[in-house]
Amino acid sequence: MTTITSSTPRGEVLRSTAAAASMFSHRSFGPRIGIGEPAALRRHPHIVRFAEVEADLDLLIDRAIAAIADGEPVEDEILGHYVHIASLVRAVSFREGKLLEQAVERLAKANPNITVLTQSLKLPLVKAALEAVSGNDWSNLDGVKLDCEAPAKGSYTPDLILVNRARHTAYILDLKRSLASYGDTSRLEELKLKMMASAMVLPDWLYKHHKRMMVDTVEVAIVDGASRPSDHATGIWALSEIDDLLEIDGVAACMAELRLRFGRRVQQLLEAEARKALGVADAVHLSTVPGKPLIALNGPARSYEEELDVLQDDDHGTDDVDCFGDEQDEEPEPVRIRVGFASRPRRH
């Protein structure tokens, strides 16, 4: 099992992503500006600009927000009327993870060599694979390929499987909104063990279950949506580095803008729910303008006195995969399969 480290400075990707994200967030009355891509700064042959995918990503955000808002919380004696806020927070954690998966799937289309698998990804945890990764140094398992139909102990379902057909490489991805909660626990190591055990059977699984798709390298990556410092030697990637996994410039910047817009919508939901819990009129926003506070009701601001008149008039208030090769009738010749943590692709 080959473990490959990266020599590319991490700060370079982080800085370029932050700059692009701040550019997207700037609003002006002129036409929207896309990602600047001077030839000297291009890292990959493919590129995606936010303006090209804005409508699709905004739709994904709308669906995620709708799903969060539609949740019906269960009464809780401890949380009381704050239970709706707690319910929203729990829903946000789940929906953000799904949003990241859907966005990566959409953005990966900019690289025609990439096939993204999202459905029926239950990979068997073959006993022999679990024993191999538990009792051996992973570097000693390079070239080991196991039968996906061998006796198994449960299964593991990755968030995404990316197949780079040009490189004959498959990536097992697990996207996390943040790895902060994994800090001092064993859960992260358990996740890595499952991913590496799955990597040992993935070539056979792809061949048998996905139209004879063949790969000779499998790499795993846990992607941290919060983009904390990465550690490729142990399989941890920052979301800000995802350009290198997909071999597409601009993906990280698009994901940064996606999270920024999603965050704004989530905070609006939480603010509205907090006002309800505190007994403040729904959708009323107080502005602390010196001398004359204003209240904005999703439209032109009214004075505090005008809003009181309105409230007094109403005592009750306001309440898919289609790019595989042709099937082959003959079984493939045995090949040497490399597995390991994901690394930046070598230059051709």
Side-chain angles (χ1 to χ4, degrees):
M1 189 171 301
T2 304
T3 301
I4 306 171
T5 57
S6 171
S7 59
T8 305
R10 300 168 185 162
E12 177 184 349
V13 180
L14 293 172
R15 286 194 297 272
S16 62
T17 300
S22 64
M23 177 181 66
F24 289 141
S25 300
H26 178 69
R27 299 292 181 263
S28 66
F29 294 102
R32 182 180 298 277
I33 302 174
I35 299 176
E37 63 274 3
L41 299 180
R42 289 287 298 276
R43 296 169 59 88
H44 303 292
H46 308 289
I47 189 169
V48 61
R49 301 172 178 83
F50 187 80
E52 299 167 350
V53 295
E54 181 175 14
D56 291 344
L57 297 186
D58 279 345
L59 179 60
L60 294 178
I61 293 173
D62 289 342
R63 291 174 176 173
I65 293 297
I68 293 171
D70 286 344
E72 192 65 34
V74 179
E75 291 187 6
D76 187 294
E77 294 182 356
I78 302 299
L79 295 175
H81 56 276
Y82 294 101
V83 68
H84 290 78
I85 299 176
S87 177
L88 285 178
V89 172
R90 286 192 293 266
V92 167
S93 298
F94 173 75
R95 292 295 170 181
E96 183 182 352
K98 302 302 292 184
L99 177 63
L100 296 180
E101 295 172 30
Q102 294 166 350
V104 170
E105 179 185 2
R106 170 62 185 87
L107 295 170
K109 293 180 179 179
N111 185 343
N113 296 321
I114 295 286
T115 295
V116 184
L117 307 182
T118 60
Q119 303 296 326
S120 303
L121 303 185
K122 185 178 291 186
L123 302 177
L125 293 174
V126 171
K127 292 181 181 179
L130 289 171
E131 294 170 357
V133 297
S134 299
N136 296 277
D137 187 282
W138 291 350
S139 62
N140 297 329
L141 299 175
D142 187 20
V144 178
K145 171 186 173 182
L146 298 178
D147 185 352
C148 69
E149 297 177 354
K153 297 175 63 176
S155 62
Y156 162 68
T157 302
D159 293 329
L160 297 172
I161 295 177
L162 305 181
V163 179
N164 189 318
R165 300 186 307 282
R167 294 184 178 274
H168 303 287
T169 299
Y171 298 92
I172 299 177
L173 299 188
D174 204 300
L175 286 84
K176 302 296 184 186
R177 64 181 302 273
S178 174
L179 286 178
S181 61
Y182 286 78
D184 299 323
T185 70
S186 61
R187 290 190 300 143
L188 190 58
E189 293 306 314
E190 293 172 358
L191 174 59
K192 291 180 186 178
L193 184 145
K194 291 180 179 180
M195 295 179 74
M196 295 304 292
S198 299
M200 297 179 70
V201 304
L202 183 63
D204 187 56
W205 185 85
L206 286 173
Y207 182 80
K208 291 179 178 177
H209 297 280
H210 284 278
K211 297 185 179 181
R212 303 299 190 260
M213 179 178 283
M214 299 179 66
V215 298
D216 54 32
T217 300
V218 180
E219 299 183 355
V220 304
I222 301 171
V223 181
D224 181 8
S227 290
R228 290 177 173 79
S230 59
D231 185 358
H232 297 173
T234 61
I236 307 299
W237 281 65
L239 184 62
S240 56
E241 299 171 311
I242 199 169
D243 289 16
D244 293 330
L245 283 177
L246 299 182
E247 297 186 37
I248 306 170
D249 285 334
V251 175
C254 289
M255 295 296 287
E257 175 68 8
L258 173 91
R259 295 187 75 241
L260 182 64
R261 295 186 178 202
F262 179 65
R264 287 172 180 161
R265 297 283 297 277
V266 165
Q267 290 168 33
Q268 289 173 358
L269 271 181
L270 291 173
E271 181 177 357
E273 199 59 55
R275 291 180 178 280
K276 291 180 183 178
L278 294 172
V280 180
D282 186 25
V284 175
H285 177 68
L286 296 179
S287 175
T288 55
V289 178
K292 191 174 183 180
L294 300 178
I295 297 179
L297 295 171
N298 297 323
R302 289 199 289 254
S303 70
Y304 182 70
E305 292 78 12
E306 291 171 336
E307 189 59 37
L308 281 180
D309 292 338
V310 173
L311 293 177
Q312 289 172 357
D313 291 337
D314 183 3
D315 294 336
H316 298 288
T318 59
D319 282 300
D320 327 325
V321 182
D322 190 30
C323 47
F324 301 109
D326 295 332
E327 293 191 8
Q328 303 175 6
D329 295 330
E330 298 180 358
E331 290 293 322
E333 292 293 328
V335 295
R336 179 181 178 84
I337 303 298
R338 294 192 303 108
V339 296
F341 291 125
S343 60
R344 287 191 171 89
R346 297 187 179 93
R347 303 297 181 189
H348 289 297

